[in-house]
Every structure is written in structure tokens, then in C-alpha cells.
Amino acid sequence: MRFVRWGARGSEKPGVLDRHGQLRDLSSLIEDLAGDVLGALDRVPTEGLPLIEGTPRLGVPVAGVGKVIGIGLNFADHAAEAGMNAPVEPIVFLKATSSLNGPEDDVILPRGSEKSDWEVELGVVIGRRASHVDEPEALDYVAGYTIVNDISERAFQLEGTGQWTKGKSCDTFCPVGPWLVTPDEVADPQTLGMGLWLNGKQMQRGSTATMIFSVAEIIAYLSRIMTLEPGDIIATGTPPGVGIGQNPPHYLKPGDVMELEIDGLGRQRQLVRAPH
């Protein structure tokens, strides 16, 4: 199933796409796509729900996000374009939850930004509490999959004090969605094609098949460091083609349009705007 949250920012309601791709209102059945609901999405009834007319704004398709966890340099070819060795264990950073953004909301460059960059990533949403999980059972803790644009300000990230979280956490720098797709519709999270287009030109092309650490490995690894809670989002890394890897490097500017797609998970589109 494909779940969404729709409506004005801060007032989103839960919804689901029916088998015809029509948006249905879930708000009479569940308060939101958050907490224990995420571990029981297969038991949410979806028949006979009210149809939502028009094309409402879609928000982040999960509520109550406690953590957004990023995995750095998780594609060998992306590590090579960044001039870095492939890691021997996952590189972990955090994105502030205040960076969360709807899949088609504008991206606002921060003041002083000169090196903001794009990154299409497979997002994994945790469905139930996970602590010290073994790898063979790790995927049982997944509520669903989505798309994350892990936008990064490279100067904030790599220059000066060089703090990854600082470069990843600017407001609007974490578009998520459009859908939360349940695992039954994703036969294997390690076989998904992914791409990103900037102003109509494809910049990134890759597949989750080339991830260094699989989704199951990442969940098991993280669960030994911190407890994963329902609604936590893991951004699992990006394939080559980011701006910092271009020759010469190419970064986002006001007026740019990013479009992202992952097989079976839908498509995002964001307009880049100047700082307020």
C-alpha cells in the first residue's frame, strides 16, 4: 500500500492511495501515520474511504519523526567521486527534524550558501521499536520505504569545522515522500533503480544494488548504537552524480528544479529559492 499525508503544512491528514491511484482520506480511522500505527499498516482498512478531490499538497508521509539518520558514502562509486575511500563500517550522521520538507515543497537556500548540493536516497521508515536487532530480522522492523533528498551544504559540511550534521540540517533540506510504500510492494530494497534530474538533465543514476551496506545491515548496525523508534527515518546513501563530484563542481542556485525518482516509490519535485 502507498500511504500519504495531505493538506497544509502543520495540518496534514493521513491518506492512502487506492488501487486506481486515487487519494482516500484515512482520518476517520487513524489520527495520523505515526507511532504504533506504523507497525500495523497492513491492518489499516482502506476500502470505502472518502475520496479526496483535486491535487492537495503532500507532506512528509510519516508523522512523529524523532530522528533522521543519514548514512554517508554508502555507494562505492559515490565515495570514489568524492575522493574518499569506501568506509569499512557505516558512516552515521543526523539531520535535524526541522529540515523535514514535503516532496514538492520549495527548498530555501540558507543565507551564505554557495555550495548546496542534491542527493537522491532510499528512505527507510522504522515501524516498531528496534534495539540490538540481528540482521536476518532487521527488515521486519520496517514500516515502509520512501524517497529522501538529502540536500547538503558542502561548505558547512566539509569546510571550517567540517561537521556533517551542520551541512545537512538547514531548513527545508530534507524533502521526504511522496509516499510511504509498505514492504509488501518492495520485493527487495536492494534492487531499486534511482535517479535525480536538475532542470531536466539527469545528474544521478544508480541502483540500491551497489550500496556498500544493505538496508538490513544498516538497521542492525544502528540498533546496536541507539534505539530506533517508530517514525525514525534512515537515509541510506546516494549514488554518483552529485554536484560536488562534477568537473567543475556544480551547486544549486535559485530557480533550479530538482526531480527525484526511485522505482516503485514515486517522484519528487522541488523548486530552489533564494534565502529569506
Side-chain angles (χ1 to χ4, degrees), residues 114-130:
E114 296 182 353
K115 298 181 180 180
S116 290
D117 204 347
W118 55 84
E119 294 189 31
V120 59
E121 306 205 4
L122 172 65
V124 179
V125 177
I126 297 299
R128 56 192 180 97
R129 193 172 187 270

Side-chain angles (χ1 to χ4, degrees), residues 2 17-23:
R2 295 171 291 169
L17 296 180
D18 64 21
R19 56 196 178 99
H20 302 294
Q22 297 176 301
L23 178 58

Side-chain angles (χ1 to χ4, degrees), residues 9 57-60 100-106 174-176 268 270:
R9 183 186 289 272
R57 170 191 173 270
L58 297 183
V60 176
L100 288 166
N101 210 24
E104 296 200 354
D105 291 345
D106 293 347
C174 192
V176 180
Q268 296 186 358
Q270 297 105 32

Side-chain angles (χ1 to χ4, degrees), residues 144-236:
Y145 301 95
T146 190
I147 303 172
V148 174
N149 190 353
D150 177 23
I151 303 171
S152 311
E153 214 300 335
R154 301 301 188 187
F156 296 1
Q157 176 189 357
L158 301 171
E159 300 173 15
T161 54
Q163 299 176 38
W164 280 36
T165 294
K166 183 174 67 177
K168 302 279 189 172
S169 293
C170 303
D171 293 350
T172 75
F173 267 30
C174 192
V176 180
W179 312 320
L180 175 62
V181 181
T182 51
D184 60 292
E185 293 202 16
V186 181
D188 183 352
Q190 304 306 146
T191 60
L192 304 177
M194 52 202 309
L196 182 145
W197 293 258
L198 181 67
N199 302 325
K201 177 182 178 182
Q202 186 161 17
M203 306 301 291
Q204 289 188 270
R205 179 187 289 110
S207 168
T208 57
T210 63
M211 287 168 56
I212 298 169
F213 304 103
S214 69
V215 172
E217 288 176 297
I218 290 167
I219 292 172
Y221 179 85
L222 290 175
S223 76
R224 295 195 295 269
I225 299 171
M226 64 188 86
T227 298
L228 302 175
E229 301 284 358
D232 286 350
I233 299 173
I234 306 170
T236 58

Side-chain angles (χ1 to χ4, degrees), residues 20-35:
H20 302 294
Q22 297 176 301
L23 178 58
R24 302 279 177 171
D25 186 2
L26 275 172
S27 60
S28 64
L29 300 178
I30 59 174
E31 184 174 348
D32 213 338
L33 292 165

